[in-house]
Each structure stands twice: as structure tokens, then as C-alpha cells.
Amino acid sequence: MGETPSTLDELARRAGKWLSLSAAAPERHTAAVVADRFDRITWRDTYEQSAALRELAEELNGRYAHAYGRSHEEAHGRPSARPYDHTTDLLTDAFLAAYKVNPRLRERAEMDPSRLVNHQVVTSLVESPEFAELRRETAGDPYAAAMAVLAQAAALRRMLERSRNAQAKAEQARKTRQDAERAATAVAEALQQAADEPGESNESDGADETGAVQTPDAADAVQQAIEAAEASEDAAREAAQSAAQALTAVAPGIRVAARAAAATAAEGARSEAALMRAWGVGPGELERMPFDRRARLAERLRTGRLAEWAELIGRFRQMADGERARKVEGAPGELVGVTLGNDLSRVIPSELANLGLPALRAVFAARYAAGELMLYDSQGEQRTGRGAIIACVDTSHSMYEAGPGGITREAWAKACALALLDQARHAGRDFVGILFSAADRLKVFRFPADRPADVAQDLDFAETFLGGGTSYQRPLSAAGALLEEEFNDAARMRGDIVMLTDDDCGVTEEWMRGWNEAKHRLGFRVFGVAIGAPRVAEADSVLDALCDNLRAVEDLTDVHAAADLFRVI
């Protein structure tokens, strides 16, 4: 039975709607954060370097992944550009939101329906005040952004768990939308087939000048395709509405969880940044550090004794920076009398007068060589040294003893030594850390001024503990030998030795004579710090006899007890 022209015209009109839908299906995105090629390369490289990220993605995919059916691209004969499950897409978005300097989110209408939950999660993260705090530490730093994602892992699991139903409905909406798009394509194919069939001679059968519908069978096929497309469109609309309602229901919980996740990640990022700063690792060095090495370093700093010392070390370094800022090089101080020496800038006028008499010039030269010229003596800060700074740190068993605040004597001594290491680097001087205990236990760490800082060596120095008793002679002899070597190699004098100990011990007279001779010849100074043991700094102690400058520290929470060291060294 043939169709009337008016019916055929109506079919053609109805089919035209589906033709336009088939031809202009909008592109749907699986990524909520807009990213360029370089952003995607950064994510891929970071993902490949981070075993923790890959393990998290695998876990989430195994727990929350669903079968979606073919993607929009596959439905149209094109391979999918994103082979990941929605959980990995969520990790990608969370990373890029933390990493990009100005992250921009896509509109919901641009998203693939199955990624609307991801879009809600990322939107909730980005819009939270806590996330703005987080990005101060992570923007432009792939490692920090990756660590932020890992810090949010527990919250991401909770959000995915709460949104299971919404995700299932979103996936159903995606499937029905794909079905509707395929149905629209079927209408186009039916119309094309009808147009390709040969028409009949009877004009009443519906043939027109365009040949849109030529036969009753072709019209029936178009009619069926249109009805299927209408049904699919209705199903897609209902599925989309159901998914939207489910997402609206879980959105408040997602927002709360997102704020908590951002706050946790921000605190972790701040703590790690502070930990790195405390150990003298600057942002520039971190950016140059390979991902796996930086991860190992962070793990090392977060565990064990090093984590406990970070706050103390940070305070020491901050104090030392302040003392350096106060120091005025070459300040004469207050004149208090006359002393002997060879500093020509402080020679008194009567000595200079000898240079005007030819007969006395030889006498002046001899007294200068012997260091016996009369000089103005001043009260104030001494001039800083130019040779190496050597910190001799006692690591005998008694240094394990804790003082106020639970800080051990060892922690205070090594924090002070690390601040002296900074002092040496700031002044372009070599630094040597000598760990000692009994006479047969000694370990030397050399930090030349002409080599880049190596935080791993800093940590080795801080972590090494020898145990045993205490001997002064061997570490001080080693320090003197190093200053002798420096003088022979580079003609540098006026080194500084800092002795950090909590115990007193004897030295032989023969050793003491050799020590004083080396001290006079090389012009080095010795500073002593008696840690938690005031008796070691008493006037008749061995340490007092060895040192030019000695102080006792009883309150181990007080880093300012050593402040003057950083003005005069």
C-alpha cells in the first residue's frame, strides 16, 4: 500500500532532524581539566616515574571500573583517544588541577556523561579554599602535584564509594546517548538507501523531484528508523535526567570530602616543603632533582631521627641567617688598650714611626714576623676566619641523653654543625665535619667549597653515630692536620675549629705542646660548646685550656645560646 505525498513529506521532515543530529554530534570530553600537549606529557612522564601513582590507579580501576560499551569515537569508526578507565582520568584531572598555574575546567555540557562524577569531584576540589593553599606548593612542580594526588587517595576512595550509584547512572546515560547517536545514524542510512532505490512511474507512490523517498518499502524502513531513534532519544533523556538527580544527591558529600582532601594534601605539601628547607634543600635544587631521587629523599627525611630533628635544624639555620645579617665585616669595635700581633691595620703610631728610621726598619720587620708589634686592642667581635670551618661533634653514648623538650645532646650538636656548614658555604669556605667518640672511633666528612652541596652527604653526616667513650686528642689532631694541609695546598690560614661535646677528658703534655705550636703557626681559633654539662666548661677544665672561646648550653631548646658563633666565625 502506497504512502500519500503529505505523509512522505512528513517523513522527510522528521528524518531531517535525525540527519542533523547524526552529522553534528557534539564532541564529549573525558578530561575535566583543559590541558595542552605539554601538560599531558608531564602527566604521562610523572605517572611512569611514580610507582605509587600507578599502584593507586590500578587499585581504583580494579575496585570502581565499569564496562562502558564503545565510546563515542569508536561508535563513529574512530579509535578512542583516552584508553584509561574513569578512575585514572580522575587521577589525571586531580594532578593537572594541582600542577597547572591557572587550571581551567570544562563546562558540564562538554563532558562525556560517564565523567560527570569526575567533573563534580574536580570542581569541588578546585573551588575549595584549601585547594588554593595546596596550589601554592604544587603549581608548576610535577613531583609535588603527584604527592598531592597520593595524599588525597583516601578521600578519593570515599568520594568514589559514595558516588557508585551516580556513576552507574552516568554510565547508563552514556550508553543510552551512544544508542541514540547510533539510531540517528541508522535514520541517515535508511534515507540514503531509500534515495538509492529506483523509483516507480506512478507519482502517487511518493516520488518527488529530490527522490528522498521512492517506494513504500523504503518509506517503511525510514519510518521504523525514525521511531527507533525517537525511542532511543527518550531513553537517553530519561537516563541523563536520572544521572543528574543522582549526582545532585551526592554533590554535597563530595564537596565536604574534597575540602578535607585538599586540606590534607596542603598540610602534607607544606610539611614536606618545610622539611626540605630545614635540611637546606632549596626549591631550585628540588626542581632539578629526578623524581625517584626526590621521592627517596623525602621518605628518608620523613622517617627516623632525621624527621625529629627537622624543626630544631630549621630554627638553627634561621638563627644563623639572622646573625649573619647582623655581622659587620672589619668593624673595629671599642678600643680598650694595646695588645701584640701582626695586624698592620691596628699598629699604634709609635710602632709605625720605626719605619721612618732606616736603622729600626729591620727591628720592625722582625717584630712583625714574630707577631709582636704593638696593636690597638678593641672590644667587640673578632674578624672572621678564612680557612676551613671544622666541627668536631662528640658522638659518645652520653650524647644520646635528652634535655628539655626531648631534644638530645646529639641532635643539638649536629643541628649546630649543619648551621656551621651553611656558614661555610655562605662565606665560600671549606667545611669538615668530624664525628668522634673513643680514640679508635672517628669519621670525617669533607664538604669542599668548590663543590655543589650534596644533601645525601649532609644526611649521612647527621645520621652517623659512633658510640663509645670520649677522646679529645684524635679529633683535634685530625682537625689540625686538615688545616695544615689546607695551608700547604692553598696558603690559607685562620681556620676555625668548633668542639661540641658533653664530656671532659685529659690530654698529654706533649700533645698539648704540639697543639699550641700548630695553633700559633696556622693562626686558627678554637671554639668550645659544652652541651648539657656545665662542668665541662668550668675555668679549670681541659676544654677551657684548649679553647679561645667557650660556652655551656643547658637549655637544648635554645638555639640562641650559640648565636655569637655565627657572628665571629
Side-chain angles (χ1 to χ4, degrees):
M1 186 172 110
E3 300 287 345
T4 65
S6 61
T7 302
L8 295 174
D9 290 344
E10 177 62 21
L11 282 176
R13 185 187 65 77
R14 290 171 61 193
K17 167 188 174 184
W18 301 105
L19 280 174
S20 63
L21 287 177
S22 175
E27 181 183 2
R28 302 291 181 176
H29 296 277
T30 56
V33 179
V34 177
D36 59 27
R37 180 168 62 93
F38 299 103
D39 295 329
R40 290 189 291 272
I41 290 173
T42 299
W43 160 251
R44 185 178 66 245
D45 290 346
T46 305
Y47 185 82
E48 290 173 354
Q49 293 177 64
S50 174
L53 274 181
R54 296 194 302 274
E55 290 169 3
L56 177 60
E58 183 178 352
E59 176 210 333
L60 296 181
N61 284 337
R63 183 180 298 183
Y64 300 107
H66 299 272
Y68 298 150
R70 294 188 305 160
S71 69
H72 172 78
E73 292 82 0
E74 292 169 325
H76 288 78
R78 298 188 298 272
S80 174
R82 297 298 302 269
Y84 306 119
D85 288 327
H86 77 290
T87 50
T88 306
D89 283 335
L90 178 58
L91 297 185
T92 306
D93 283 330
F95 171 85
L96 292 174
Y99 169 72
K100 287 178 66 65
V101 175
N102 292 302
R104 181 172 67 86
L105 302 187
R106 288 190 168 90
E107 298 295 331
R108 284 188 58 171
E110 301 178 76
M111 296 299 297
D112 185 290
S114 67
R115 301 302 196 267
L116 288 176
V117 170
N118 288 7
H119 187 273
Q120 179 64 58
V121 169
V122 177
T123 299
S124 299
L125 281 172
V126 171
E127 292 180 350
S128 68
E130 293 80 3
F131 200 77
E133 293 291 326
L134 171 64
R135 292 188 61 262
R136 290 192 178 97
E137 304 291 345
T138 62
D141 187 338
Y143 170 86
M147 293 303 104
V149 173
L150 294 173
Q152 297 173 91
L156 291 174
R157 292 187 191 97
R158 289 194 297 271
M159 286 186 276
L160 288 170
E161 191 66 38
R162 289 175 178 173
S163 59
R164 272 186 184 272
N165 181 56
Q167 183 63 40
K169 291 183 180 296
E171 290 163 8
Q172 182 61 31
R174 180 188 190 189
K175 184 178 181 301
T176 56
R177 173 50 55 193
Q178 290 174 344
D179 290 342
E181 291 172 0
R182 284 193 288 271
T185 302
V187 172
E189 291 172 351
L191 283 171
Q192 184 62 46
Q193 184 176 357
D196 291 342
E197 290 184 4
E200 299 179 3
S201 58
N202 186 354
E203 293 183 0
S204 65
D205 285 338
D208 58 17
E209 293 180 357
T210 64
V213 179
Q214 300 288 344
T215 67
D217 289 342
D220 288 342
V222 173
Q223 174 71 24
Q224 291 172 8
I226 290 173
E227 289 174 356
E230 289 174 342
S232 294
E233 180 65 19
D234 290 341
R237 189 179 302 109
E238 291 177 5
Q241 184 177 3
S242 177
Q245 290 172 347
L247 187 58
T248 299
V250 299
I254 289 178
R255 283 193 288 269
V256 172
R259 290 194 65 171
T264 299
E267 178 59 30
R270 283 194 297 268
S271 297
E272 183 165 311
L275 197 60
M276 293 294 182
R277 286 194 298 270
W279 284 96
V281 186
E285 184 178 355
L286 287 176
E287 289 175 7
R288 294 188 298 271
M289 195 177 294
F291 186 97
D292 56 347
R293 182 183 172 197
R294 185 170 171 183
R296 289 195 302 270
L297 174 60
E299 180 64 22
R300 187 177 180 184
L301 293 180
R302 280 194 298 265
T303 57
R305 296 187 300 158
L306 298 183
E308 299 172 5
W309 296 355
E311 191 270 340
L312 177 66
I313 291 170
R315 287 196 291 120
F316 250 107
R317 284 184 154 138
Q318 185 177 13
M319 177 273 293
D321 284 341
E323 294 304 317
R324 277 194 293 272
R326 290 178 54 194
K327 182 166 60 177
V328 179
E329 296 289 346
E334 177 186 356
L335 296 178
V336 294
V338 176
T339 186
L340 299 180
N342 57 6
D343 185 350
L344 297 178
S345 67
R346 294 190 290 141
V347 175
I348 66 175
S350 60
E351 287 278 22
L352 290 174
N354 292 333
L355 289 175
L357 300 174
L360 295 179
R361 288 174 185 170
V363 174
F364 181 92
R367 295 181 65 182
Y368 171 74
E372 295 178 352
L373 293 174
M374 289 191 290
L375 314 175
Y376 284 122
D377 192 13
S378 61
Q379 178 175 298
E381 297 166 354
Q382 304 175 55
R383 291 195 303 164
T384 57
R386 288 294 177 266
I389 298 176
I390 301 177
C392 298
V393 181
D394 187 349
T395 59
S396 60
H397 284 311
S398 59
M399 292 291 283
Y400 263 138
E401 186 174 331
I407 299 172
T408 65
R409 296 173 179 180
E410 179 203 12
W412 196 97
K414 288 183 175 175
C416 183
L418 288 170
L420 288 168
L421 169 57
D422 286 348
Q423 186 88 347
R425 286 171 175 160
H426 185 270
R429 300 168 67 182
D430 291 349
F431 178 82
V432 180
I434 298 178
L435 303 180
F436 71 93
S437 57
D440 61 342
R441 298 186 182 182
L442 189 82
K443 193 168 182 63
V444 178
F445 294 83
R446 304 186 72 161
F447 301 83
D450 59 354
R451 294 183 191 171
D454 183 357
V455 67
Q457 189 181 15
D458 295 358
L459 299 182
D460 289 341
F461 171 69
E463 286 183 316
T464 301
F465 190 86
L466 302 177
T470 304
S471 169
Y472 285 176
Q473 287 187 195
R474 190 173 179 203
L476 290 175
S477 293
L482 288 167
L483 293 177
E484 183 89 44
E485 177 186 330
E486 181 181 39
F487 175 74
N488 292 335
D489 292 345
R492 282 198 298 268
M493 298 178 62
R494 291 169 51 207
D496 291 306
I497 299 173
V498 181
M499 189 76 169
L500 300 132
T501 183
D502 70 340
D503 201 1
D504 200 10
C505 68
V507 295
T508 67
E509 290 185 12
E510 181 182 359
W511 180 88
M512 194 68 175
R513 283 195 296 271
W515 173 255
N516 288 332
E517 180 182 326
K519 186 178 176 184
H520 178 74
R521 183 175 68 257
L522 300 173
F524 61 79
R525 299 175 296 179
V526 182
F527 299 84
V529 184
I531 305 170
R535 60 177 177 76
V536 177
E538 291 177 355
D540 59 347
S541 68
V542 174
L543 193 61
D544 178 60
L546 289 169
C547 296
D548 303 296
N549 182 310
L550 178 63
R551 84 282 333 277
V553 177
E554 296 184 67
D555 182 1
L556 301 187
T557 64
D558 181 16
V559 299
H560 292 279
D564 66 307
L565 287 177
F566 300 93
R567 290 195 301 271
V568 299
I569 289 180

